[in-house]
Amino acid sequence: MHFDPTIPFKYWDALLIGLGTSLRLTLICLAIGVALGFVTSQARRSRLMPVRAVAIFYVELFRGTPVLIQLFWIFYCLPMLIGAEPGNFISAVLSLSLYAGAITSETFRAALKSIPREQYDTCRALGITGLRLAIWVVLPQALLRAIPTLLSNAVALFKESALISAVGMADLMFIGSSIANRTGRPVEMLTAIAIIYFTVAFPLTRIVGRVETRILRRLAV
């Protein structure tokens, strides 16, 4: 059987639907993960030992275990603990969001370290403390410094989203694999899937470099 590059074009509409699902899920989980990551980075700086311990345990657990194992545990094991079936969509959102929160917390932690200590002292002298300090002073600066790495995290999360096909989510990988099994053309379909992932991810990686250069110039001013 010869390689036929025209095969994927016959199923282009279905592949685009799967890509849309992958992109939507990535954006949802990235938004949740960024918020969770910032909160976790703040928790790791807490003066309360139990709060720091929980935050560190969460980060190390989700950074130190495969995302596929996390997905399977939430999809298959969590229902036995809570007595309810979350479904593949909720399971996918939970696993990818928790993973994104763990990796972005490290991104924010590095960004927070680069904020001069004098700014914290000045805010406290002006009476800006607690939640107001975190939201209005710390968060904007941390986001600015973290943007390049956050974009890299977004690319990584998009690629990791291919794993959700393992629990029956109709994403790009699931639809492409289903078509490959039905047509008996795995080489053509898997090649097309790889090209689509690359087409989306590569421009983002180029953007990361440009954004990082601009931010470094701004911070140096």
Side-chain angles (χ1 to χ4, degrees), residues 138-155:
V138 177
L139 179 58
Q141 295 188 66
L143 275 175
L144 178 63
R145 290 166 166 79
I147 282 176
T149 310
L150 289 177
L151 289 174
S152 296
N153 292 344
V155 175

Side-chain angles (χ1 to χ4, degrees), residues 24 47-48 83 89-90 92 98 121 131 144 163 184:
R24 283 194 299 272
R47 296 179 181 179
L48 300 175
F89 177 76
I90 297 299
L98 289 170
D121 296 335
L131 191 60
L144 178 63
L163 297 174

Side-chain angles (χ1 to χ4, degrees), residues 86-99:
N88 54 10
F89 177 76
I90 297 299
S91 297
V93 170
L94 277 175
S95 60
L96 291 181
S97 296
L98 289 170
Y99 169 72

Side-chain angles (χ1 to χ4, degrees), residues 25-143:
L25 188 69
T26 299
L27 291 175
I28 291 171
C29 296
L30 182 64
I32 297 173
V34 168
L36 181 58
F38 180 73
V39 172
T40 303
S41 66
Q42 292 293 300
R44 295 190 67 171
R45 295 161 59 90
S46 173
R47 296 179 181 179
L48 300 175
M49 169 99 46
V51 175
R52 290 203 311 273
V54 170
I56 291 172
F57 175 76
Y58 156 64
V59 171
E60 296 303 325
L61 176 65
F62 282 88
R63 289 181 66 231
T65 55
V67 180
L68 184 60
I69 299 299
Q70 299 165 18
L71 175 61
F72 279 167
W73 193 93
I74 291 173
F75 185 72
Y76 292 109
C77 302
L78 186 60
M80 292 187 291
L81 298 178
I82 64 176
E85 295 284 346
N88 54 10
F89 177 76
I90 297 299
S91 297
V93 170
L94 277 175
S95 60
L96 291 181
S97 296
L98 289 170
Y99 169 72
I103 61 175
T104 56
S105 72
E106 290 297 287
T107 300
F108 279 122
R109 193 160 72 98
L112 291 171
K113 286 183 178 180
S114 67
I115 299 176
R117 188 67 192 177
E118 294 79 5
Q119 295 197 27
Y120 292 96
D121 296 335
T122 301
C123 288
R124 291 190 180 97
L126 295 172
I128 304 174
T129 57
L131 191 60
R132 286 195 303 161
L133 173 63
I135 294 178
W136 298 110
V137 179
V138 177
L139 179 58
Q141 295 188 66
L143 275 175

